[in-house]
Amino acid sequence: MDAMAAIKQTFFQECEEQLAELETGLLAIEGGQSDLETINAVFRAVHSVKGGAGAFHLDELVGFAHIFETTLDHVRSGKLAPTPDLLKTMLRSADVLADLVRAARDGGTVEESRRKALADELARWSGGAGEASATAESESSEGDSLEGLNFTPIQISLDEIEEQGEAPTGDRFKVTFKPHRGLYAKANDATLILRELSSLGSAEIECDQSKLPKLMELDPEEAYLIWNITLTTDKDEQSIREVFEFVDTDCDLTVSKLDPPGLESIDIAAMIAAAQSGPRPEAQPDPETPQSTLAPAAAPAAPAPSAGQDMAAKAAAAAADKGDGNVAVTAQTTIRVDLDRVDRLADLVGELVINQAMLAQRISEGTVGRASSAAVALDELEQLTREIQESVMAIRAQPVKSVFQRMPRLARKVATLTGKSVRLIMDGEGTEVDKTVIERLTDPLTHMIRNAIDHGLESPEKRRAAGKPEEGTVRLSAMHRSGRIVIEVADDGAGINRTRVRQIAVDKGLIPADAQLTDDEVDNLIFLPGFSTASTVSNISGRGVGMDVVKRSVQALGGRISISSNPGKGSTFAMSLPLTLAVLDGMVVTVADQTLVVPLTAIVETLQPKQADVHGMGGDSRVIAIRDRFVPLVDVGQVLSYRYEAADPMTRVALLVETEGGARNALLVDAIQGQRQVVIKSLEANYGRVPGIAGATILGDGRVALIVDVDAVVADARGDSYREPSMAMAS
Amino acid sequence: MSTTILTVDDSRTMRDMLMLALSDAGYRVVQAEDGVHGLEVLKNEMPQVVITDINMPRMDGFGFIENVRKSEKHRAIPILVLTTESDAEKKDRARKAGATGWIVKPFDPVKLVNAIRRVAAA
């Protein structure tokens, strides 16, 4: 990848950041936070996108950003008030800008009519006459900078400038240049300007030092010298004035055209050298102006700044000597690393953890005592390994902001389509979670937000009738809770209509008509496949993609989803997800001579079944009384087809587990080996999908152990139809 | 010894582009992300030229220039303002703050180097 392509990639990355910034800012302003800093941040975001886009010839993007920027500038200067209507336009413009950026990056197009409509709308706000004029304005004001943008870095030699004008041809101009003290105060340097001027052709320069006071009276910051130049050049007056572009307010300048040449030229290089190196005994004789003795004037002519510059040069020379000349020193605190490298590191650390566990086991099997120095060193190694692992995981951790920031846009779209008014409040965007989790969070979250607006919130009329504000609120929040991340989507809608949900479930044959269900169980019916409470097929939530899909994708992430609903007040969906998909705290157990791992997060407690507590329910079904409740007793060995006959609970151990829906079950295993952190390896990627199994891991002794998918095992034991039937496992 | 140039810009894209163009032209480049950062960098660096953006968080280009001009040690450093604004008002404000000159974005490397040559013997 060449350097420019790399910068372009940076540009698009930066654009995404700016777009997020833009949206955050606009939403903050919408929320009443219209302080200058927020408005400035919004302005800067658009400005930055425009600036970079210009460098890459992305004219459409530049054009739109320019119009947007103009409107924002009016807001910034107080000419326009950030009214709700204007903010709506701006938020939609931010969407178009985002689409334009993505179109430029991925090579698509943005609907012309949509872009133009918003450009016109923006222009109307800022009092312009629409896209055409705004674009024209942008082009005329930045005319010459927009053309010839082919950015190909070139090597320029200083000599190019100075080796010109061997045989002066063209017109002769008389230039009078009288710097003011402000010129020097701004670090401009008359000699440099004269040097540039002389590069236009052939110049005769004389210095009028008649204003120069005696040394004692000399103010080092004052400008006393006047330069008279006769320039022979084939350039026009405009080009000459351009040389003085930076100083035109800090000097008196006259440029006038002279009659054809007649004067001999002066060695300009020598003069500049003289002006820079101080007094020189012999000045160039001048036939016309006898007062012109150039050299002695030079030193005082370049006042204080020049001396400062020398010091500057020396200091920089010293600095440059320390480092080596060309190496760029960047004062940044972040670096960008290819994700593959981080993943490779994470993999290696995973291997290290396994290796360390193996070593620990080997040593403990040996004759080395617990208190021996080898065992102590091993403990330290374990600590270190864990820390390394955590640090690597932290590299992969990202704030959920990257997912959250897409949601306001989605919410606006859904609100528009459903004719509802919604306010999305976000909280905890800075909460960090593994990158993989973030990537796979988008879909379920998108669906939950859609669902909250489409199904959760009532129509404005109904809300008004219920005495609520017409604008519904959806609150999206993230937080860390006991080693997991919990993401909640809460709406202030009508809540779940339990009677209706129950009726639908009965109608669809999902539950028997006489089923006794608690409120929670009724609420959880909406997670069943094929359940849809919308009375009409809405094109937003769509048929076939329901909460069951959300539930499954959350489960696939090792997460749980739960719902709590309050009639008339709203519903809250809570997803609880592991912070990383790479490691898991597990309980290592034995089942039918097999070693399995049960995720610790699912386990509530462990217990030794007593004969009196276990009751048969007919067939193989049994329940166990735990305190005052009966919970189903599930023989893991039987469900996973390690054995045909149900095992005797008395000699075994029961793990009380909680499933996603909050239901409790007791998993019967033969024995508990211990508790440890395991590195998850995908079974699907390495072998194939096995029902009831979530993945595999390598234990300390080098054996492969399967990780139990608690929910699947429980569902299988209950005979739930949507689970594939269990099959014999290759062990 | 190569000439050192300090670039102050909040946009990574711009910083990268400046870095590419300037280092190709043989300059040594130090970077800062905004005015505050720029002043920090100046504590340890004495560049021959500073190129700064105008719109930046924390401290914008105007504020940055004013601060540099107040510094006894740094006030003689030529400062070029890098901005997409080509309107007179911005230029005037930059000049009042003490800017030596300006470069209109998007810049091409030749113009960039020419602007540098116009303000520094580098």
Side-chain angles (χ1 to χ4, degrees):
Chain A
M1 186 163 29
D2 67 54
M4 274 315 275
I7 294 178
K8 198 165 182 177
Q9 216 172 36
T10 307
F11 166 66
F12 283 124
Q13 280 169 4
E14 203 170 16
C15 272
E16 290 297 331
E17 290 161 20
Q18 299 294 353
L19 288 168
E21 193 84 357
L22 170 63
E23 179 147 358
T24 312
L26 286 175
L27 289 172
I29 297 171
E30 196 181 36
Q33 189 191 329
S34 55
D35 56 291
L36 195 60
E37 190 36 51
T38 310
I39 294 171
N40 271 335
V42 164
F43 178 86
R44 265 200 313 274
V46 176
H47 183 74
S48 250
V49 170
K50 178 181 134 184
F56 293 106
H57 266 307
L58 305 171
D59 296 343
E60 209 176 37
L61 189 53
V62 174
F64 189 80
H66 180 77
I67 299 166
F68 200 166
E69 187 188 31
T70 309
T71 309
L72 281 166
D73 201 24
H74 285 319
V75 177
R76 195 166 65 149
S77 62
K79 280 185 219 157
L80 259 177
T83 59
D85 279 350
L86 174 55
L87 278 159
K88 281 209 172 80
T89 304
M90 290 199 175
L91 281 163
R92 283 190 296 130
S93 303
D95 293 346
V96 170
L97 193 68
D99 289 344
L100 282 166
V101 166
R102 276 151 213 163
R105 182 187 59 198
D106 308 329
T109 51
V110 173
E111 220 179 302
E112 176 69 23
S113 56
R114 192 164 142 249
R115 181 178 62 85
K116 188 159 180 339
L118 270 166
D120 288 346
E121 215 173 297
L122 280 171
R124 260 199 309 283
W125 279 104
S126 59
E131 190 188 3
S133 77
T135 314
E137 181 203 317
S138 109
E139 269 162 16
S140 63
S141 67
E142 283 165 32
D144 64 349
S145 57
L146 280 169
E147 39 192 70
L149 282 179
N150 275 335
F151 189 98
T152 331
I154 50 152
Q155 197 86 32
I156 301 168
S157 150
L158 199 68
D159 305 333
E160 281 168 34
I161 290 175
E162 278 147 22
E163 286 174 10
Q164 280 183 13
E166 285 287 314
T169 51
D171 298 322
R172 286 172 72 234
F173 292 89
K174 176 144 185 63
V175 181
T176 322
F177 172 42
K178 180 181 186 305
H180 302 164
R181 62 186 291 157
L183 183 146
Y184 299 110
K186 287 166 193 161
N188 267 300
D189 187 342
T191 52
L192 291 170
I193 295 165
L194 293 174
R195 181 178 77 177
E196 187 178 350
L197 187 67
S198 63
S199 75
L200 295 178
S202 155
E204 297 157 30
I205 303 173
E206 58 173 44
C207 178
D208 174 355
Q209 45 164 324
S210 55
K211 300 278 191 298
L212 199 64
K214 292 203 181 80
L215 189 60
M216 292 301 288
E217 295 152 20
L218 188 130
D219 173 358
E221 306 224 338
E222 189 49 81
Y224 297 106
L225 301 182
I226 302 164
W227 307 87
N228 296 302
I229 308 110
T230 308
L231 180 72
T232 308
T233 177
D234 48 10
K235 303 280 192 323
D236 58 3
E237 187 181 324
Q238 184 57 36
S239 311
I240 297 168
R241 287 192 179 273
E242 262 172 30
V243 172
F244 296 91
E245 193 188 6
F246 292 169
V247 296
D248 59 4
T249 56
D250 291 307
C251 69
D252 295 330
L253 181 72
T254 58
V255 181
S256 54
K257 206 165 167 182
L258 290 177
D259 295 329
L263 285 170
E264 65 275 30
S265 62
I266 294 171
D267 183 356
I268 182 67
M271 291 191 75
I272 291 169
Q276 283 173 332
S277 63
R280 206 177 67 161
E282 236 182 310
Q284 292 292 330
D286 192 287
E288 284 172 14
T289 45
Q291 88 277 28
S292 152
T293 40
L294 167 81
S306 197
Q309 228 167 322
D310 280 346
M311 275 154 58
K314 274 178 211 139
D321 283 346
K322 274 180 241 159
D324 24 35
N326 236 353
V327 177
V329 177
T330 53
Q332 280 168 310
T333 50
T334 58
I335 56 161
R336 302 183 152 251
V337 182
D338 201 40
L339 187 61
D340 286 348
R341 293 193 198 179
V342 177
D343 286 348
R344 169 102 186 105
L345 182 63
D347 274 356
L348 286 173
V349 171
E351 301 293 332
L352 179 67
V353 170
I354 292 169
N355 233 284
Q356 183 272 327
M358 280 167 131
L359 186 63
Q361 189 150 348
R362 291 288 136 79
I363 289 187
S364 70
E365 282 165 0
T367 52
V368 184
R370 286 294 303 164
S372 71
S373 54
V376 171
L378 195 69
D379 274 351
E380 277 164 17
L381 178 66
E382 187 178 345
Q383 284 283 334
L384 274 175
T385 318
R386 210 169 241 268
E387 270 173 42
I388 292 174
Q389 190 170 30
E390 277 163 13
S391 305
V392 172
M393 291 308 155
I395 297 178
R396 285 184 52 94
Q398 287 189 323
V400 288
K401 193 176 172 189
S402 59
V403 181
F404 274 27
Q405 72 194 15
R406 302 186 202 176
M407 297 304 149
R409 186 177 180 189
L410 172 83
R412 281 198 297 282
K413 257 187 198 160
V414 178
T416 311
L417 282 169
T418 53
K420 290 175 184 175
S421 180
V422 61
R423 183 176 168 75
L424 183 70
I425 299 173
M426 298 195 291
D427 211 21
E429 293 120 299
T431 313
E432 290 194 336
V433 67
D434 191 87
K435 191 174 158 56
T436 325
V437 177
I438 288 201
E439 280 161 3
R440 291 161 68 183
L441 201 59
T442 312
D443 284 349
L445 201 57
T446 303
H447 204 82
M448 281 160 78
I449 297 277
R450 279 180 182 166
N451 204 69
I453 299 170
D454 192 18
H455 300 315
L457 294 181
E458 317 91 321
S459 63
E461 300 78 49
K462 279 191 192 160
R463 288 183 67 89
R464 205 171 35 230
K468 294 182 184 177
E470 279 185 29
E471 189 178 55
T473 303
V474 173
R475 184 179 291 274
L476 175 60
S477 59
M479 70 211 90
H480 279 148
R481 197 184 284 160
S482 52
R484 293 171 77 86
I485 182 171
V486 177
I487 296 175
E488 284 187 357
V489 177
D491 64 66
D492 69 344
I496 287 182
N497 182 340
R498 298 200 173 106
T499 327
R500 221 172 103 66
V501 164
R502 199 195 144 87
Q503 192 53 49
I504 290 169
V506 171
D507 289 350
K508 297 198 170 171
L510 299 169
I511 51 165
D514 56 352
Q516 295 289 317
L517 299 175
T518 62
D519 282 354
D520 273 0
E521 282 168 330
V522 174
D523 291 349
N524 276 293
L525 288 174
I526 65 162
F527 290 117
L528 290 181
F531 189 94
S532 173
T533 48
S535 36
T536 54
V537 177
S538 116
N539 58 347
I540 302 142
S541 296
R543 197 192 280 284
V545 186
M547 289 310 286
D548 59 317
V549 177
V550 175
K551 185 177 181 175
R552 254 181 282 151
S553 44
V554 171
Q555 281 174 335
L557 278 168
R560 292 191 283 266
I561 186 164
S562 61
I563 177 174
S564 64
S565 181
N566 199 342
K569 299 264 174 62
S571 314
T572 300
F573 287 86
M575 280 194 277
S576 153
L577 298 162
L579 292 179
T580 167
L581 301 182
V583 286
L584 168 120
D585 278 308
M587 180 92 82
V588 184
V589 299
T590 311
V591 174
D593 296 332
Q594 300 291 322
T595 302
L596 299 177
V597 177
V598 181
L600 209 56
T601 47
I603 300 174
V604 182
E605 63 177 284
T606 62
L607 46 114
Q608 205 99 47
K610 290 192 201 76
Q611 187 72 57
D613 293 338
V614 180
H615 306 273
M617 300 284 287
D620 280 343
S621 312
R622 287 172 296 182
V623 293
I624 180 169
I626 295 176
R627 288 177 281 278
D628 53 354
R629 279 185 71 177
F630 286 107
V631 298
L633 185 65
V634 178
D635 181 3
V636 177
Q638 198 181 18
V639 171
L640 295 178
S641 306
Y642 286 133
R643 56 186 165 224
Y644 290 105
E645 298 298 323
D648 173 18
M650 286 340 114
T651 57
R652 297 185 158 80
V653 184
L655 312 175
L656 184 64
V657 294
E658 193 174 75
T659 56
E660 316 300 343
R664 292 195 168 188
N665 286 266
L667 297 187
L668 193 65
V669 300
D670 296 358
I672 291 173
Q673 293 181 16
Q675 202 173 303
R676 78 177 48 131
Q677 196 171 49
V678 297
V679 179
I680 305 172
K681 302 275 175 191
S682 165
L683 202 58
E684 267 173 76
N686 298 312
Y687 170 70
R689 204 177 125 70
V690 179
I693 299 300
T697 188
I698 301 166
L699 293 176
D701 58 7
R703 279 180 303 148
V704 173
L706 298 175
I707 300 167
V708 175
D709 180 346
V710 170
D711 271 39
V713 166
V714 168
D716 194 308
R718 286 215 316 251
D720 278 7
S721 54
Y722 68 91
R723 290 282 180 183
E724 294 105 308
S726 178
M727 57 170 148
M729 268 184 6
S731 57
Chain B
M1 174 210 120
S2 64
T3 302
T4 300
I5 296 180
L6 167 65
T7 63
V8 187
D9 200 312
D10 59 325
S11 155
R12 206 161 55 231
T13 311
M14 268 307 147
R15 286 200 304 272
D16 284 359
M17 293 190 88
L18 285 167
M19 170 71 84
L20 181 64
L22 294 173
S23 52
D24 271 12
Y27 297 112
R28 171 176 173 269
V29 182
V30 288
Q31 299 181 323
E33 292 175 17
D34 56 37
V36 175
H37 190 192
L39 292 175
E40 258 165 46
V41 172
L42 281 179
K43 286 182 188 157
N44 301 312
E45 291 282 345
M46 186 55 95
Q48 277 73 33
V49 179
V50 173
I51 298 176
T52 180
D53 189 25
I54 291 285
N55 283 291
M56 294 181 290
R58 298 208 291 172
M59 183 192 289
D60 65 11
F62 303 126
F64 172 68
I65 296 168
E66 280 164 8
N67 273 292
V68 174
R69 289 286 174 255
K70 273 187 229 152
S71 148
E72 197 59 38
K73 189 175 152 208
H74 298 109
R75 63 176 179 152
I77 302 175
I79 303 175
L80 292 171
V81 170
L82 182 66
T83 174
T84 46
E85 335 280 348
S86 55
D87 62 296
E89 190 214 346
K90 286 269 159 40
K91 268 188 213 165
D92 279 356
R93 269 195 74 190
R95 263 207 277 223
K96 286 213 176 73
T100 313
W102 54 87
I103 301 160
V104 177
K105 281 194 284 193
F107 56 85
D108 72 72
V110 179
K111 280 188 186 164
L112 179 70
V113 171
N114 281 343
I116 292 168
R117 292 244 175 89
R118 193 179 276 186
V119 297

